[in-house]
């Protein structure tokens, strides 16, 4: 049974969800013009706002920047203390204000208009000062705030954030932005890293490669120097097997008397797990998890040895 506190939370979510659904019919010609304006711009998208709208503006700018649209956030209050220098004539501005008459924001208008910077206004009022001076108007009006007092920006900020995401999604489609492009902007994050290719993270220097006729005793040194716990067994650059430090230990225990005479081909695995250098890093991680191994041999389309990738690289 739902308690009173949970009921308040549920109502908030329902109100905000309804606000987003109510926004759908407003997305039309002005929205398309906004996307085209950004696409045709040779500059960047500068997103600005004050207070809660400023926080939303910052998130929208971050989303645009990470999905192929050069963008950054400028606090309207800081604009009068030097940040106006960030605006260039080829830029596009997205200005966010629910009333459309926020003083700190509207006093930016002369500077933006003076530099011929087109403005996309995100407001609740078409007749507001901000909307009247914009080339595109995106409606963020809501029937009421989810706040029980109908005061704190809740439904309105949710709608604004969702509309910003809608802009980003439309731009992703129009730019033909791909997962590989997304990875370029997220090299340090786990998501971007998993979207990257194996070739970006594999080891290529001092590869531990031996031939089937190599002595197991010599291969011990190769495995140790390679630091992956294995040696790639190859002939004419083609992978024919793999031998691990575990294989070497087992060989030593089983055939101790002839250890220094043993050849790799007697103990190697003839069906090693490999991955192409052009495959996703996430695929390499899955193979290692599924087969409970800690490294993979990387090959090209022809099956030639290109490198080694281990589980540490996939973290």
């Amino acid at each position: 049974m739902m308690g009173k506190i949970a009921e308040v939370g549920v109502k908030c979510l329902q109100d905000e969800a309804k606000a987003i659904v109510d926004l759908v019919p407003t997305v039309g010609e002005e929205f398309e013009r906004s996307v085209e304006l950004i696409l045709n711009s040779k500059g960047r998208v500068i997103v600005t706002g004050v207070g809660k709208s400023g926080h939303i503006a910052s998130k929208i700018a971050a989303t645009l920047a990470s999905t192929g649209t050069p963008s950054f956030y400028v606090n309207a209050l800081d604009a009068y203390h030097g940040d106006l220098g960030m605006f260039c004539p080829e830029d596009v501005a997205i200005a966010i204000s629910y009333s459309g008459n926020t003083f700190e924001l509207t006093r930016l208008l002369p500077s933006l208009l003076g530099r011929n910077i087109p403005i996309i206004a995100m407001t609740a009022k078409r007749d507001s000062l901000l909307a009247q001076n914009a080339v595109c108007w995106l409606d963020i009006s809501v029937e009421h705030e989810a706040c029980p007092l109908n005061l704190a920006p809740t439904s309105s900020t949710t709608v604004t954030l969702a509309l910003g995401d809608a802009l980003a999604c439309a731009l992703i489609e129009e730019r033909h932005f791909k997962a590989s492009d997304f990875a370029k902007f997220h090299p340090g994050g786990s998501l971007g890293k998993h979207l990257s290719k194996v070739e970006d993270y594999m080891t290529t220097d001092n590869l531990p490669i031996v031939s089937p006729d190599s002595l197991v005793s010599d291969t011990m040194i190769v495995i140790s120097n390679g630091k992956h716990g294995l040696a790639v067994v190859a002939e004419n650059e083609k992978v024919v097997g793999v031998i691990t430090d575990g294989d070497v230990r087992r060989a030593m225990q089983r055939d101790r008397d002839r250890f220094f005479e043993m050849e790799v081909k007697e103990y190697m695995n003839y069906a090693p797990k490999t991955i192409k250098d052009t495959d996703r890093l996430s695929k390499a991680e899955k193979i290692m998890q599924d087969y409970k191994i800690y490294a993979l041999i990387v090959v090209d389309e022809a099956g030639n040895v290109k490198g080694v990738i281990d589980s540490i690289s996939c973290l």
Side-chain angles (χ1 to χ4, degrees):
M1 183 176 179
M2 187 182 299
K4 184 177 180 180
I5 294 176
E7 289 178 354
V8 174
V10 168
K11 186 176 186 307
C12 174
L13 294 174
Q14 290 174 335
D15 286 346
E16 294 193 352
K18 183 178 183 301
I20 292 177
V21 172
D22 290 344
L23 182 70
V24 172
T26 72
V27 178
E29 184 179 343
E30 294 277 349
F31 181 87
E32 292 184 348
R33 287 176 54 205
S34 298
V35 172
E36 291 170 359
L37 182 63
I38 294 172
L39 283 172
N40 295 328
S41 170
K42 296 180 180 179
R44 304 140 312 162
V45 175
I46 301 172
V47 194
T48 185
V50 178
K52 303 297 186 298
S53 294
H55 295 302
I56 298 300
S58 178
K59 165 58 171 64
I60 292 174
T63 299
L64 290 172
S66 69
T67 53
T69 298
S71 177
F72 62 91
Y73 164 69
V74 171
N75 187 309
L77 298 174
D78 292 335
Y80 293 92
H81 298 276
D83 284 3
L84 274 173
M86 297 180 179
F87 292 80
C88 297
E90 293 182 333
D91 294 338
V92 172
I94 297 178
I96 305 173
S97 166
Y98 190 77
S99 70
N101 294 308
T102 304
F103 174 71
E104 295 87 350
L105 196 59
T106 56
R107 67 175 181 167
L108 276 179
L109 293 175
S111 297
L112 297 178
L113 297 173
R115 300 185 189 190
N116 295 316
I117 297 174
I119 301 169
I120 298 171
M122 297 178 72
T123 79
K125 298 180 179 180
R126 186 68 181 92
D127 60 352
S128 63
L129 185 60
L130 181 58
Q132 288 176 353
N133 286 276
V135 296
C136 300
W137 171 62
L138 300 179
D139 188 1
I140 56 172
S141 61
V142 296
E143 184 178 334
H144 62 83
E145 299 288 1
C147 164
L149 302 176
N150 194 28
L151 294 175
T154 43
S155 296
S156 58
T157 49
T158 298
V159 161
T160 306
L161 183 59
L163 191 56
D165 288 342
L167 283 173
C169 289
L171 288 163
I172 287 172
E173 286 289 330
E174 291 300 311
R175 294 187 191 281
H176 305 292
F177 195 76
K178 300 180 178 63
S180 57
D181 299 315
F182 187 83
K184 293 176 184 177
F185 296 117
H186 298 75
S190 60
L191 178 58
K193 195 171 184 180
H194 288 178
L195 289 172
S196 299
K197 294 181 180 179
V198 168
E199 62 186 354
D200 297 324
Y201 291 90
M202 67 184 185
T203 298
T204 57
D205 296 330
N206 301 316
L207 291 177
I209 299 177
V210 297
S211 74
D213 298 325
S214 298
L215 293 175
V216 174
S217 55
D218 293 335
T219 301
M220 289 177 60
I221 300 173
V222 175
I223 292 175
S224 178
N225 291 337
K227 299 179 180 179
H228 290 288
L230 58 78
V232 180
V233 187
E235 287 185 315
N236 299 320
E237 298 187 358
K238 303 288 186 183
V239 177
V240 294
V242 64
I243 185 167
T244 68
D245 51 4
D247 293 329
V248 173
R249 288 194 302 273
R250 285 185 287 273
M252 184 182 295
Q253 292 172 347
R254 188 172 62 187
D255 298 305
R256 183 174 302 177
D257 294 339
R258 53 183 294 269
F259 177 72
F260 289 99
E261 302 172 6
M262 295 185 298
E263 295 181 343
V264 166
K265 60 188 175 187
E266 298 179 61
Y267 302 98
M268 72 183 195
N269 177 352
Y270 283 83
K273 300 301 177 186
T274 63
I275 191 165
K276 292 187 177 65
D277 53 351
T278 54
D279 284 336
R280 298 285 182 205
L281 194 62
S282 55
K283 181 177 179 180
E285 181 183 40
K286 187 175 188 306
I287 292 174
M288 285 186 272
Q289 288 177 345
D290 289 348
Y291 290 94
K292 295 180 173 56
I293 55 179
Y294 49 81
L296 286 172
I297 301 170
V298 184
V299 298
D300 60 17
E301 291 291 340
N304 297 318
V305 182
K306 300 296 291 184
V308 176
I309 188 165
D310 58 33
S311 56
I312 301 298
S313 302
C314 296
L315 293 178

